[in-house]
Amino acid sequence: MNKDSMQSVNFAFFVCRLRRGFWPFSQGHAPCAEMLEGNASMSLVSFSNVGLRYSTGPEILSDVSFTLEKGSFHFLTGASGAGKTSLLKMLYVGKRPTRGIIRMFGQDVTAMKREDLPAVRRQVGTVFQDFRLLMHLSAYDNVALPMRIAGVDEEHTRRNVTELLRWVGLGDKMDAKPPTLSGGEQQRVAIARAVIARPKLLVADEPTGNIDPGIGIKILYLFEELNKHGTTVVIATHDAEIIRRFGHPEMHLENGHLIMPHSGAKAA
């Protein structure tokens, strides 16, 4: 077994242990050896004729229609200014469209009351380009936050957060606060926070942009293992080598319009 395969297998065991801690078998979840096959036919997200503009300016995105199936994995590509970050904002429910309909997890989020949106956002793990860490909290507490909000007991939280931070190379920085960390280290904390609760949907905006290539590949293995266990993944990236190496289908934005150059997400 080569080094890359070993990294992937090792993290698969961690994801399985995380599933056991966060979703007990008493609730009917399958054992770790069983991946969530056969779920790809279920639509998790759908955009229908979505348009987005800021204030009175021109549309940033126009007539965007697609569906993301449960358990799918896509790279979101396009030149700077093509609208990738704006599309991701709507995927993590940070922005609602100017027009059109977005359905997520079986609900129409465009018609949803504002007070109901946080419950939807908690099902999405987000890796922001600017990290958005809480500066007064340690790396450990930033990563633990989603599990604490979800009511996971401290024993499971401690075990999973500690192992994940060690896995991303921050085992000796758990008590460090973000201002004392490098940009690459802050990026890894943000990634760990996004994936720790195994969200239904993971969206990441240039997640490997501030870290060295070796760590970047390792992070992609992390995303792939979560994907194999049912998490739908969308990664915005300019990294042609990562796209080539991992081979997942692309969703390509050009001048505010979504183009499907490869098979994968379905045009709605």
Side-chain angles (χ1 to χ4, degrees):
M1 182 179 292
N2 63 32
K3 183 178 179 182
D4 287 349
S5 297
M6 182 63 73
Q7 287 179 334
S8 181
V9 168
N10 287 344
F11 191 72
F13 285 111
F14 167 71
V15 173
C16 288
R17 288 195 295 274
L18 190 152
R19 282 187 72 216
R20 282 179 173 166
F22 197 53
W23 290 275
F25 290 133
S26 62
Q27 295 179 11
H29 293 280
C32 291
E34 183 178 338
M35 299 299 185
L36 299 183
E37 298 176 354
N39 286 339
S41 62
M42 298 173 62
S43 175
L44 194 79
V45 176
S46 70
F47 279 47
S48 180
N49 297 315
V50 166
L52 177 67
R53 71 173 76 245
Y54 294 99
S55 188
T56 58
E59 282 197 331
I60 303 299
L61 296 169
S62 298
D63 300 318
V64 173
S65 296
F66 66 91
T67 62
L68 292 177
E69 295 177 344
K70 186 175 181 181
S72 61
F73 191 128
H74 296 89
F75 290 117
L76 178 62
T77 61
S80 295
K84 298 189 300 298
T85 297
S86 293
L87 181 56
L88 291 184
K89 282 182 180 179
M90 290 190 287
L91 281 172
Y92 64 72
V93 203
K95 185 78 175 177
R96 287 200 267 192
T98 309
R99 61 183 177 87
I101 297 173
I102 299 175
R103 293 187 62 83
M104 299 179 65
F105 319 124
Q107 302 176 80
D108 181 356
V109 298
T110 51
M112 192 173 289
K113 294 179 180 178
R114 184 177 297 273
E115 58 265 29
D116 294 330
L117 293 176
V120 178
R121 294 189 186 111
R122 284 195 289 271
Q123 300 178 72
V124 183
T126 307
V127 181
F128 300 99
Q129 249 185 325
D130 57 357
F131 316 139
R132 301 194 191 181
L133 301 175
L134 297 178
M135 295 299 169
H136 64 288
L137 296 181
S138 66
Y140 177 96
D141 287 328
N142 266 283
V143 177
L145 192 59
M147 300 191 82
R148 288 170 173 164
I149 290 173
V152 180
D153 67 76
E154 280 300 317
E155 179 184 353
H156 284 131
T157 297
R158 178 187 54 77
R159 183 169 68 246
N160 290 326
V161 172
T162 299
E163 185 165 358
L164 182 53
L165 282 172
R166 285 173 178 165
W167 196 86
V168 298
L170 295 174
D172 60 343
K173 299 290 181 71
M174 293 189 196
D175 295 326
K177 293 184 178 179
T180 69
L181 300 174
S182 69
E185 289 168 339
Q186 289 186 49
Q187 181 79 310
R188 282 180 274 164
V189 173
I191 289 167
R193 180 185 60 187
V195 305
I196 190 67
R198 203 178 68 86
K200 290 182 180 179
L201 172 65
L202 174 68
V203 298
D205 197 354
E206 299 288 350
T208 61
N210 293 292
I211 52 184
D212 68 67
I215 293 293
I217 294 299
K218 196 172 182 181
I219 293 300
L220 262 293
Y221 283 127
L222 183 157
F223 293 161
E224 283 204 323
E225 291 304 329
L226 286 167
N227 176 247
K228 289 175 183 177
H229 287 80
T231 296
T232 299
V233 179
V234 179
I235 298 176
T237 184
H238 286 100
D239 193 330
E241 172 57 23
I242 280 181
I243 294 171
R244 182 200 64 78
R245 181 167 186 160
F246 287 88
H248 296 293
E250 292 179 45
M251 300 166 60
H252 185 73
L253 280 170
E254 190 170 318
N255 298 322
H257 295 275
L258 189 65
I259 302 169
M260 305 293 187
H262 303 290
S263 62
K266 295 182 178 179

